[in-house]
Amino acid sequence: MSRFHVGGKVVDTVDLLRKRHLGWRLDTWPFMIIYGIWMAAVVPSLDFGDASIVLGSLMAFHVLVFLFTVWSVDFKCFIQYSKVKDIYRADACKITPAKFSGSKEVVPLHIQKLAASSTSADTEEIYFDFRKQRFIYSNEKNTFCKLPYPSKETIGYYLKSTGYGTEAKVHSATEKWGRNVFEYPQPTFQKLMKEQCMEPFFVFQVFCVGLWCLDEYWYYSLFTLFMLFMFESTMAKSRLKTLSELRRVKVDSQTLMVYRCGKWVKLSGTELLPGDVVSIGRSTGLDGDDKSVPADMLILAGSTIVNEAILTGESTPQWKVSVNGRGSDEKLSVRRDKAHVLFGGTKILQHTPDKTFHLKAPDGGCVAVVLRTGFETSQGKLMRTILFSTERVTANSWESGLFILFLVVFALIAAGYVLRKGLEDPTRSRYKLFLSCSLIITSVIPPELPMELSIAVNTSLIALARRGIYCTEPFRIPFAGKVDICCFDKTGTLTSDDMEFSGVGGLSDNEELETEMSKVPDRTLEILASCHALVFVDNKLVGDPLEKAALKGIEWTYKSDEKAMPKKGNSNSVQIVQRHHFASYLKRMAVVVRVQEQFFAFVKGAPETIQERLDEVPSWYIKIYKKYTRQGSRVLALAYKPLPDMTVSEARSLDRETVESGLTFAGFAVFNCPIRGDSATILSELKQSSHDLAMITGDQALTACHVAAQVNIITKPALILGPAKGGAGYEWISPDETCTISYNGDEVEALSEDHDLCIGGDCMEMLQQSSSTVKVIPYVKVFARVAPEQKELIITTFKSVGRMTMMCGDGTNDVGALKQAHIGVALLNAAPPTTGKSAQTGSKSEGEKSAKSKKPKPASGSGDSSSKSRALSKAESTSNQAANRHLTAAELQRQKLKKLMEEMNEEGDGRSAPMVKLGDASMASPFTAKHASVAPTTDIIRQGRSTLVTTLQMFKILGLNCLATAYVLSVMYLDGVKLGDIQATISGVFTAAFFLFISHASPLQTLSAERPHPNIFCAYVFLSLMGQFAVHIFFLMSSVNEAGKYMPDECIEPDSDFHPNLVNTVSYMVGMMLQVATFAVNYMGHPFNKSISENRPFLYALLAAVCFFTAITSDVFRDLNDWLKLVPLPKELRNKLLLWAFLMFVICYTWERLLRWAFPGKMPSWRKKQRVAAVTEAKKKV
């Protein structure tokens, strides 16, 4: 078997390869034969010049084959490797990564002998390393699997672990997992430079320079080559800087106590191995900074308070407790049991050791077992994301390839036409003919295309970073413009984190809330005062805002010795003995407390969860909690039970199930979650801009529906899916329980026409069992009481029916869903950066400062020279003043490239993607927003749409320019029409300015209901290009033919040098008019970007160009026209040209506007795909 399907998140398939011997490679022996044939057959039969041309062509082809092995991994494998089926014969493998995980790679395959242990004989291990992860061949599974780490064992396994007992075990573990370091070789400048110079577009530029040299453009060509190298070297330098920034992140080499070979020894953090038992606590370095945790580890004894901001960006400290007390047969899940896991890179703020554990740490730290080290830790994973997603940013790379292919077809037709016509004329120089054909083909591929696409994405990245939104996966920005469904978490996202304690309900069948705390039973107050996870860090109380609100509302205080007491009155104080922390999959938390000498179990949680654990459920229980949830309040059920007499250590060792069963009801704590001020306006803006909305929350269904109605997610009558009252099956019930409809999976689509649907987590399980997730989920607006894994399932279901999804939530509970969505936005609670006037003035003054400090830049300003002007200047022949002419062109090229280099080299200038630093990025999602509001969602969508639109308009402009260029270089070249060097230079200046100003168009503040076209290949783009191209060619041909009538006697020599004449003058003027018209007509302003009148620099450049061309056409400044080598036009011709130019613009503009009206961007139709997916799912079940 030569191919293995791995199907992981990183690697999709692995192909086995064996490297061919140098002599047997397909880029060696076939060429040896070809060169032999050239020596034997071509050299004797042709003269030296022609034989040299043949040899040159062969060598160029050989070099191209070599370059393709660099550009294409598949081609490299075909040429340099042979496929093998036997894994023991393979010495390399081709890795195809999972979608969006980068490009294919060839990596060496290793076979190593593992030392024999007492239990097993010598074994062999076959593995490869790919992107800092090791994959090992598994004989049982007959495929490659990720190197396993001990992170999914049973809880009992960890509690019994005593580390490595012998040096031999330490040695074999070191061999297996390596040291606990972030090792990646720092690439040298030379290596990066070589990579840059091997890029296809750079090689293409060099090839063009070669062609210009052949056409006797020496100064111009060599200068361009020099500037290209300078430009690429600055790019390499900035990449080197980015990579060295990342190298600064290291595993803390703090000294820890590690239990090895039966005793505690001091070891550096970099020497830790998975399975080591360590003692960990708060430790500070010489500079007073807290040291970070060196690896991911599970706490076996003790508890800690940890700051996880570097990973999640969430500044609220997290409480981490020991795994002791959990069922010993339970399997550990790092995602689910994160309350027991210390993550690498996070900082311990305080720790409390456990003196009763069988392994006692000599330094008074908490005992923990190491789960993962190096790049497998959570910090390592975030590092890998940042490292391996910083590949060159492009928008729609496969589309740009197809688009170039489409242009090349036109170029080949034009070149074929020139070749056929040229060969018919025996007097023409074959060499010049070959050269002009090459120039036509190369003129069509605009070398600035990849740069234009990068600019579009990078401008958006920088605009977002200025607003406190950071992106680790830039390729996702164009997806943001295509999003059609936005999903939101509720608590802390749509609603504020500042909870308000409303009172206690359900103490009797009276439906009114008890807000007077003196009338509330002591037991209820004690539960509220002690059943929480609040903690003191540096004498400050930190934790869940809801628990802080409860403590404040009942007027109790909580001390650092874990004791709660009332501020006034003579109630008893409550001492917390043991906590069982809140877990999202259990929906409850519990504490064991001591009041005076009596032990109690206090429990709080979701009303429906606590209901099952009560000895006796009051008759009014359901009625009262539903009343408050319907009003959008957050309701927690409180319960307790007295425990028998026991010692403190016995109370601590009670298992969770015992503590949380057989309870007595003690009332409902009701909290009001105010909705964030801007949630409703932002969500209604999203709805009006053609987006569907959904809410995915862990809260109760009635609360969720109430909030969803307030923020415009629900606008029709709501129905909630739940078990039928009779007990059999399920039914849809309205929130006020007046309307019930029995559930039928096939009727969901019809039901969603008149109702907004809501389902709960328990119903999700039913949908999975009955294989109807695809039938139901796409039509649901509110998902309530869903676990984190179910959030992930919801997003993947939306994706499977062809929807572009955005998920917005917090970085702690919603990790899976945020990762799965096309656009995942983790909101961190921080003050949003100032916007509006103050921000604008700030950036303006910064801009002024930087402008003053920099040297004045040339006005011609950009490397985005149009392919048209470049091709025209390439097509010119030389005249007597060759040296002076080339200097002007070279001067222009130098200024353009210098400007681009300066811009690429500065940071935050709109050219290079901003560097994302650890602490800014959240490991949870590709986008991290430091805002306490959902406003970043509209920012990201605006920038995404702007990027899509900018990309589309660039493709259209480049396409039209290239098609016109192919025509000019072919048909008109055969007629002897040429342009002067100064003319081409002026044309280059205007084009460069246009491109620069177009790429800086900023998006409008409001989102439009119209959507951008998601793809380049659509009827609108094709018809627009063809229509405008037809008008342009007709205008060009008519003008040149008209000019020909005024100079019938003068004969134009096809291969002669340039000299001014009427046809040349007219073709230049018309070419420039077309160029200005192309930019003006295809600029995509409203409803996505600022219009031409609002984009002032672009407007001024257009007006300047129009004035300039009107001036030279009407011959107002004769000296200017002489300098440009333009001859005077007859009056009739001049008037005709100006009129035709105006008509051409009006026709193109009308055609473009008509097409935009006829083909507006629509909401993607996903229902058809959903029906197909539902049928497929049903078939699988059968």
Side-chain angles (χ1 to χ4, degrees), residues 694-714:
M695 180 192 281
I696 306 177
T697 177
D699 217 331
Q700 220 270 345
L702 291 165
T703 309
C705 284
H706 178 81
V707 174
Q710 286 183 294
V711 294
N712 307 307
I713 292 176
I714 286 182

Side-chain angles (χ1 to χ4, degrees), residues 567-609:
K567 285 181 181 173
K568 50 191 178 195
N570 52 3
S571 302
N572 298 314
S573 64
V574 182
Q575 177 69 54
I576 298 170
V577 177
Q578 175 69 356
R579 277 187 173 94
H580 295 283
H581 283 263
F582 174 79
S584 54
Y585 66 99
L586 294 174
K587 302 193 185 91
R588 62 180 185 270
M589 82 162 285
V591 289
V592 176
V593 299
R594 189 163 60 177
V595 182
Q596 292 172 312
E597 292 307 309
Q598 169 80 43
F599 285 102
F600 287 94
F602 288 167
V603 185
K604 71 172 181 189
E608 57 270 42
T609 310

Side-chain angles (χ1 to χ4, degrees), residues 478-486 685-693 802-806 822 941 944-946 948-949 952 1007-1015 1018 1020 1084-1088 1156 1159-1166:
F479 285 147
K482 303 178 188 181
V483 164
D484 58 23
I485 182 161
C486 305
E685 185 182 350
L686 285 171
K687 198 161 198 169
Q688 284 157 15
S689 57
S690 308
H691 294 94
D692 286 336
L693 304 176
R803 306 216 67 175
M804 279 280 173
T805 53
M806 171 186 264
H822 292 102
I941 289 173
R945 286 183 171 190
S946 177
L948 264 188
V949 165
L952 195 69
L1007 285 169
S1008 72
E1010 192 182 321
R1011 298 174 64 86
H1013 290 278
N1015 304 312
C1018 57
Y1020 157 69
M1084 300 272 247
H1086 289 194
F1088 308 110
R1156 286 190 199 175
F1159 298 98
K1162 288 195 198 80
M1163 191 79 166
S1165 54
W1166 53 272

Side-chain angles (χ1 to χ4, degrees), residues 238-543:
S238 72
R239 277 183 72 197
L240 199 64
K241 190 176 173 189
T242 302
L243 290 168
S244 17
E245 275 278 317
L246 276 176
R247 273 181 72 84
R248 288 186 194 162
V249 181
K250 288 191 173 74
V251 169
D252 247 336
S253 55
Q254 57 168 311
T255 308
L256 296 167
M257 296 299 286
V258 183
Y259 195 73
R260 277 195 189 166
C261 307
K263 60 179 187 290
W264 289 97
V265 290
K266 282 189 176 181
L267 280 180
S268 162
T270 53
E271 301 299 320
L272 291 183
L273 294 166
D276 262 331
V277 172
V278 300
S279 162
I280 185 115
R282 182 178 186 176
S283 64
T284 49
L286 298 170
D287 52 2
D289 275 358
D290 286 326
K291 291 265 192 176
S292 56
V293 178
D296 288 0
M297 41 185 84
L298 178 72
I299 303 177
L300 302 179
S303 64
T304 60
I305 312 297
V306 183
N307 178 359
E308 291 187 343
I310 195 158
L311 295 185
T312 60
E314 192 58 67
S315 52
T316 309
Q318 305 293 314
W319 193 317
K320 303 285 179 173
V321 293
S322 117
V323 80
N324 211 341
R326 290 287 299 275
S328 57
D329 296 334
E330 278 184 66
K331 279 265 175 89
L332 178 74
S333 154
V334 173
R335 188 187 282 182
R336 188 192 66 198
D337 302 321
K338 57 179 187 278
H340 308 298
V341 179
L342 291 172
F343 293 107
T346 59
K347 294 187 174 174
I348 296 178
L349 303 178
Q350 71 183 46
H351 70 277
T352 315
D354 180 359
K355 306 270 175 36
T356 60
F357 194 64
H358 64 90
L359 269 180
K360 294 198 174 40
D363 59 352
C366 299
V367 179
V369 60
V370 178
L371 300 176
R372 302 180 296 206
T373 55
F375 275 101
E376 277 303 308
T377 62
S378 297
Q379 187 181 14
K381 280 180 186 166
L382 184 58
M383 297 279 297
R384 283 207 314 264
T385 305
I386 294 172
L387 253 180
F388 297 114
S389 67
T390 51
E391 290 166 20
R392 284 216 162 162
V393 176
T394 54
N396 308 341
S397 48
W398 66 271
E399 287 193 333
S400 55
L402 276 177
F403 191 75
I404 286 173
L405 202 66
F406 165 72
L407 296 179
V408 166
V409 171
F410 272 87
L412 288 171
I413 294 167
Y417 176 74
V418 168
L419 196 63
R420 202 183 60 144
K421 287 283 187 190
L423 291 172
E424 285 172 8
D425 182 355
T427 59
R428 283 206 120 142
S429 155
R430 296 285 182 272
Y431 168 68
K432 286 260 178 157
L433 192 64
F434 161 74
L435 201 58
S436 63
C437 287
S438 307
L439 284 168
I440 289 168
I441 294 169
T442 56
S443 74
V444 163
I445 304 173
E448 64 271 20
L449 184 67
M451 207 185 303
E452 295 294 352
L453 297 181
S454 299
I455 285 170
V457 175
N458 288 344
T459 309
S460 294
L461 283 175
I462 285 155
L464 290 174
R466 283 186 186 138
R467 295 181 79 91
I469 304 164
Y470 301 93
C471 175
T472 53
E473 296 173 15
F475 67 82
R476 290 184 186 267
I477 287 210
F479 285 147
K482 303 178 188 181
V483 164
D484 58 23
I485 182 161
C486 305
C487 307
F488 295 89
D489 177 35
K490 182 182 81 73
T491 314
T493 303
L494 294 171
T495 59
S496 154
D497 265 346
D498 303 325
M499 296 281 183
E500 295 164 4
F501 177 66
S502 305
V504 178
L507 297 169
S508 64
D509 58 1
N510 179 5
E511 290 188 13
E512 292 307 307
L513 265 190
E514 186 53 77
T515 50
E516 185 57 56
M517 288 304 120
S518 58
K519 294 178 183 171
V520 175
D522 284 352
R523 196 64 71 231
T524 305
L525 295 175
E526 286 165 5
I527 297 171
L528 283 169
S530 59
C531 191
H532 55 65
L534 297 176
V535 64
F536 275 88
V537 176
D538 299 331
N539 295 323
K540 192 177 170 206
L541 192 64
V542 294

Side-chain angles (χ1 to χ4, degrees), residues 333 335-338 488-489 582-588 606 608-609 695-701 759-765 768 777 782-796 807 810 812-818 820:
S333 154
R335 188 187 282 182
R336 188 192 66 198
D337 302 321
K338 57 179 187 278
F488 295 89
D489 177 35
F582 174 79
S584 54
Y585 66 99
L586 294 174
K587 302 193 185 91
R588 62 180 185 270
E608 57 270 42
T609 310
M695 180 192 281
I696 306 177
T697 177
D699 217 331
Q700 220 270 345
I759 64 173
D762 49 350
C763 302
M764 293 273 294
E765 287 169 18
Q768 280 172 277
I777 288 178
V782 177
F783 300 88
R785 281 280 185 256
V786 283
E789 292 75 28
Q790 290 173 326
K791 289 187 179 185
E792 208 169 323
L793 172 75
I794 292 163
I795 297 291
T796 47
M807 172 72 196
D810 62 47
T812 44
N813 302 326
D814 308 324
V815 181
L818 291 169
Q820 276 297 337

Side-chain angles (χ1 to χ4, degrees), residues 615-629:
D615 272 347
E616 193 181 324
V617 180
S619 57
W620 61 82
Y621 187 93
I622 294 172
K623 181 182 75 173
I624 287 185
Y625 92 72
K626 281 194 172 174
K627 179 197 169 188
Y628 293 115
T629 51

